[in-house]
Amino acid sequence: MKYEAYFKTFLTAIEKQLQKVLPPQQQFPPVLHEAMRYAVFTGGKRFRPVLTLASCEAAGGKWEDALIPAAAIELIHAYSLVHDDLPALDNDDFRRGQPTCHKRFGEAMAILAGDGLLNLAFHILSLPKPATRAIALLEEISTAAGTYGMIGGQVADMTASPNLSLPMIDYISTHKTGKLIKASSVSGGIVAGVSKKKLGYITKYGEFLGLAFQTVDDLQDGDGYLRIAKPEEMRQKVRDLISQAKDQIRQLGLKTKKLEALADFLLERMPKTNHVAMDR
Ligand code: GRG
């Protein structure tokens, strides 16, 4: 079964939640909200929020209770893409087959739309009850998105020497991409109120999955690990990471099928042939 069909219920609920939390397009000042909505609703697999809902369910919670952190993480992901595409960073004209946010709305508006998305994410994260749950989510997600996570990884990537070492690529991959994916999984566990031991399995699952996600991206782009390793080595690394992720999650012993399927969908996305620029 295809990803979209398998996760149809989750994907529909995530779209509904995102529609609910984003200001309506007509809300003053309308251009800002149009740009924010453009960044969120022009495609995207919703991998991270699906992971949050599936993790909550696997941890014994009601997945509907995890819709707020799921939406918040997707808002943060959308902001990171808007800012990453800016001329000062990657300078990309297209994202998901459409003009990037700054190409459509101008640079200043794209910066502000990204800021709006990030702040909206933390606003909605303050809402879950009891307040201790909101605080745990805020701590996990702000750490993953900030200096100790995505931003740190992005800066390490920008400032690394061209002769990247393995520890540096590990740092970049686990921080730029891995931490937010780990936080997506952990947030589901937090909402379910899972034990410390079980949260440990969910955390490890998220870490393995996050690194596999970035390595698949490297195989698609011929970048990152592919700068120092052969594609077949990296394909084997992805298979190992997926298998380690599944080993962790099976120890939860509850409804783990969706998390296992999510790991398998990632494996299916791995290119079977070498990236042209990196063929060796
Ligand atoms: C500029 C604040 C800031 C952060 C930059 C995450 C990031 C850090 C930059 C995005 C660029 C990038 C390609 C990162 C690698 C992670 C990755 C593969 C992102 C794409 O995620 P998908 O595949 O995208 O989930 P969709 O379109 O499905 O939402």
Side-chain angles (χ1 to χ4, degrees), residues 207-259:
E207 284 171 354
F208 287 130
L209 201 70
L211 193 52
F213 190 98
Q214 182 55 51
T215 313
V216 168
D217 191 62
D218 289 349
L219 279 158
Q220 283 164 348
D221 292 353
D223 202 359
Y225 287 109
L226 272 290
R227 293 212 214 169
I228 58 163
K230 292 194 172 72
E232 191 40 47
E233 281 169 357
M234 296 326 293
R235 277 196 278 272
Q236 189 52 46
K237 181 176 166 158
V238 172
R239 287 183 212 109
D240 292 345
L241 287 165
I242 295 296
S243 144
Q244 286 168 295
K246 286 161 78 175
D247 284 348
Q248 288 295 324
I249 218 61
R250 283 189 195 116
Q251 297 183 69
L252 272 179
L254 293 167
K255 295 185 182 174
T256 62
K257 286 281 167 283
K258 289 198 184 101
L259 288 179

Side-chain angles (χ1 to χ4, degrees), residues 7-26:
F7 287 114
K8 190 166 189 283
T9 309
F10 282 0
L11 290 167
T12 306
I14 291 162
E15 292 315 293
K16 214 170 141 196
Q17 186 68 25
L18 287 167
Q19 286 289 354
K20 192 169 147 189
V21 299
L22 274 152
Q25 193 160 316
Q26 314 83 298

Side-chain angles (χ1 to χ4, degrees), residues 44-45 48 77 79-81 84 96 154 177 213-214 217:
K45 294 177 290 298
R48 295 158 191 77
H77 169 61
Y79 123 79
S80 80
L81 299 181
D84 192 59
R96 300 163 172 165
Q154 173 69 13
T177 313
F213 190 98
Q214 182 55 51
D217 191 62

Side-chain angles (χ1 to χ4, degrees), residues 170-185:
D170 282 340
Y171 180 91
I172 293 168
S173 305
T174 52
H175 287 72
K176 188 172 93 169
T177 313
K179 294 279 181 186
L180 197 61
I181 291 183
K182 184 212 78 171
S184 307
S185 196

Side-chain angles (χ1 to χ4, degrees), residues 254-273:
L254 293 167
K255 295 185 182 174
T256 62
K257 286 281 167 283
K258 289 198 184 101
L259 288 179
E260 291 182 51
L262 198 57
D264 285 332
F265 281 121
L266 187 50
L267 197 57
E268 279 169 28
R269 279 188 56 222
M270 179 167 76
K272 307 285 178 287
T273 53

Side-chain angles (χ1 to χ4, degrees), residues 110-144:
I111 292 170
L112 294 164
D115 293 342
L117 290 168
L118 180 62
N119 283 285
L120 180 62
F122 289 114
H123 173 183
I124 65 172
L125 280 171
S126 71
L127 302 175
K129 298 278 182 285
T132 47
R133 182 182 290 177
I135 290 167
L137 289 168
L138 282 161
E139 186 186 1
E140 173 66 30
I141 296 170
S142 62
T143 308

